[in-house]
Structures are given as C-alpha cells and as structure tokens.
Amino acid sequence: MTYLLEIRDLQVRYGGIAALRGLDLTLEAGETLMVTGPNGAGKSTLMKAIAGLVKPGAGRIDFDGHLVTGRAPETIAALGFSMVPEGRQAFGSMTVLENLRIGTGMRRDRLAVAADLEYVMELFPMLRDRAHVQAGLLSGGQQQMLVIARGLMAGPRLLAIDEPSLGLAPNVTDQVYEALMRLRRDRQLSLLIVEQSSTRAVMTGARMLMLREGRSVLEGDPRTLTADAMRQAYFGLE
Ligand code: ATP
C-alpha cells in the first residue's frame, strides 16, 4: 500500500518541551483525515512539521513518494502540500482577488489556474461578489473561506487546514464544512483537517486521529467510536 502521506515515529521538540513524541499517521489519496485533540496536543506542530516549518528531531515524513523530513517549505509546497494556518491569515490590505492570485505561487499552468479560480468562486460565491473588496473588511467566516480558497489556488494534492471552525458561529462553520465536503466529492481532494473537538469529525464521517500530549490516543471511524471512548482519550482518563 502506498500512501499519499506516511508519517513514522515523528518527534518534535521546542527546547525542553516535547510537542510530538513518536507520532504515526497515514493518509490515502482522496481521503479526509480529521486530527483532533485538546489544547497543546501537538496538532499545529504536526501540520508545521509536514510543511517543513519546524524540524523534527526524529522520525520520517513521506509525501507522495518523496522523503520530505526536514526539507524546505517551498520544496514541500511544490510537491503539492498546501497549508491553511490557524487564525485566518488573509492579507488584509489586499483585495480578495489579489489574495487568491498570491495563492497560485509558482504555478505556470495558466489554464488550470483560471479553471481553479472559477471553481473556488463557485465553491464560495461570496468571493466573486467581493472580489475587489479588501480582505480585511470581510467577516471572520468570509476570511476563513478566502484562506481555504487561497490554499486551493496552489493546486494542491493535499490541503491541510488548521482549526477552520475557530471563532466562527456554528452556522458559519456549517457553511465552511459544506464547501469542504463538496470539494471532497467534486475533486477527490485529500484533506487533513485539524479541530479541537470531535464533533465535526463525527458529522463528516471522516476517519479521525485523536492526539494528546504529542501521541495518537485514538483512531478510527468516529461514528463507530463510542462517546465514552472519545471522552476518555481526550481527557486521558483510565
Ligand atoms: P492548540 O489547539 O492550542 O493549537 P495544538 O494541539 O495545536 O494546540 P501545538 O500548538 O502543536 O498544539 O503545541 C504543542 C506543544 O508545544 C504545547 O505544549 C505548546 O505549548 C508547545 N509549543 C508550540 N509551539 C511552540 C513554540 N513555538 N515554542 C515553544 N513551545 C511551543
């Protein structure tokens, strides 16, 4: 079995703090994986390690058949990994359209870029309506949609999104997830989504990997995992 993403025994430290303590993870092409777990579990560190933004102390990361552990972020992005960081980091003084164009990075395939621009505007019609508005003037939910769309403009094989629901009203989060699920259906795009709570994993029915204290503590189809098992893993109860 070859995986799109395969991580073995990943360890990351920040000085004296062990953020990841031997993490294993696999993701098949076309699959959606929800990574959940409490504050400080290591979820963002996992994403940053895949992206090449933090250097692992041990372990290996294979992406699309390439060993990428410790390689430069631009190299990993060029292989097709696109990350939407936590906190909706749109370029506030640039327009929506400018933000989307920046997302295309080094892509040279102009026709495919134009088709992707059309696609993200269909996925999030608000982007077309607000194309010439400064991103900083958008609501939180609209900015979240914009940064996801910007991540898509890179034409990724794997799109990783850190806490898309953070600070959003539940109905706005619903809209974001409806678009993500449509993306999964339309394009069979591989998704790695980080959320603290398991609620969205249960709703999407995607495979879930729960982290706590830098380790995987629970994995499986969230619809078949009992609420008790999830609670125990989340809080580290015996
Ligand atoms: P959250 O839900 O709060 O984003 P998380 O699961 O994403 O949490 P990480 O942000 O990966 O967790 O943090 C894992 C651990 O590493 C925590 O103990 C955190 O305090 C620590 N940590 C994260 N970034 C740094 C840093 N730049 N310097 C020092 N320690 C860090």
Side-chain angles (χ1 to χ4, degrees):
M1 174 88 224
T2 51
Y3 296 103
L4 179 62
L5 178 68
E6 183 170 9
I7 296 181
R8 296 291 168 207
D9 192 31
L10 189 66
Q11 300 180 37
V12 175
R13 304 186 66 88
Y14 299 103
I17 298 165
L20 291 177
R21 308 164 185 242
L23 185 78
D24 295 317
L25 174 160
T26 57
L27 184 137
E28 291 175 28
E31 195 186 9
T32 296
L33 178 67
M34 302 281 307
V35 176
T36 65
N39 245 319
K43 306 180 298 295
S44 299
T45 301
L46 167 66
M47 285 220 178
K48 288 179 191 159
I50 303 168
L53 298 170
V54 297
K55 297 247 178 291
R60 64 179 285 150
I61 304 172
D62 288 274
F63 177 61
D64 204 14
H66 303 270
L67 178 67
V68 297
T69 333
R71 296 183 71 179
E74 313 80 72
T75 310
I76 298 168
L79 290 171
F81 180 74
S82 178
M83 182 170 106
V84 180
E86 192 177 317
R88 303 191 270 281
Q89 298 168 17
F91 299 110
S93 59
M94 294 167 68
T95 68
V96 165
L97 199 56
E98 286 166 346
N99 268 274
L100 293 174
R101 291 212 183 281
I102 276 206
T104 61
M106 298 283 115
R107 282 178 81 183
R108 293 278 169 268
D109 43 349
R110 291 172 132 225
L111 287 178
V113 167
D116 282 350
L117 188 60
E118 191 55 34
Y119 178 76
V120 298
M121 288 186 163
E122 247 172 62
L123 194 62
F124 300 113
M126 168 284 296
L127 295 176
R128 199 191 303 276
D129 303 340
R130 307 279 157 94
H132 301 292
V133 171
Q134 278 191 355
L137 299 174
L138 301 180
S139 69
Q142 291 171 337
Q143 289 195 20
Q144 185 62 65
M145 293 173 198
L146 173 59
V147 291
I148 291 172
R150 190 176 65 193
L152 281 171
M153 289 307 295
R157 300 220 50 213
L158 173 59
L159 181 67
I161 311 171
D162 201 350
E163 298 207 39
S165 72
L166 193 73
L168 301 185
N171 66 322
V172 179
T173 305
D174 286 346
Q175 286 175 30
V176 170
Y177 269 87
E178 274 160 26
L180 292 176
M181 294 308 105
R182 187 179 149 200
L183 187 58
R184 184 162 74 151
R185 277 197 312 275
D186 287 355
R187 300 210 152 181
Q188 288 80 47
L189 183 68
S190 312
L191 297 171
L192 195 159
I193 305 173
V194 162
E195 288 285 4
Q196 277 203 14
S197 111
S198 320
T199 316
R200 291 285 157 181
V202 175
M203 287 167 78
T204 58
R207 183 162 64 96
M208 182 181 77
L209 182 74
M210 190 186 284
L211 307 189
R212 188 169 45 77
E213 295 174 1
R215 290 192 183 88
S216 158
V217 285
L218 192 69
E219 184 179 359
D221 176 345
R223 290 167 304 187
T224 63
L225 297 168
T226 65
D228 257 0
M230 286 200 241
R231 212 166 20 242
Q232 281 174 11
Y234 194 92
F235 293 108
L237 309 171
E238 290 309 314

